[in-house]
Amino acid sequence: VYAQGALVNTGSQQRFGVKVEIDLFDAGGKRVANASDYVGVIEPNAEWKFRALVVETKAAAAKIAAIKETK
């Protein structure tokens, strides 16, 4: 099972070392785990379709917690 989505670099510069961090919640809304995905480069005006592996069997919902870039 994967948490999937897309991020778009709307800027005019490349973005390096981009990581999306996702909080996972059970059916009652309690945070039970996290997942993440990473890409080396997102080109200007390009879309990155991320897929974060979900290993927590109780996960029923996901929400992006953070988007980070390596400086």
Side-chain angles (χ1 to χ4, degrees):
V1 175
Y2 291 89
Q4 301 181 83
L7 295 176
V8 178
N9 177 4
T10 59
S12 61
Q13 298 179 350
Q14 293 176 319
R15 298 296 177 186
F16 296 96
V18 179
K19 181 179 182 180
V20 61
E21 296 176 356
I22 300 167
D23 286 338
L24 303 173
F25 303 89
D26 65 12
K30 179 182 175 188
R31 186 180 175 280
V32 293
N34 66 328
S36 64
D37 195 7
Y38 174 89
V39 67
V41 177
I42 303 177
E43 296 294 333
N45 301 306
E47 179 180 77
W48 170 43
K49 293 184 179 178
F50 63 84
R51 287 179 43 140
L53 181 63
V54 175
V55 295
E56 174 57 56
T57 59
K58 295 180 183 179
K63 181 179 177 183
I64 293 178
I67 301 167
K68 299 179 180 179
E69 178 183 12
T70 303
K71 299 292 179 190

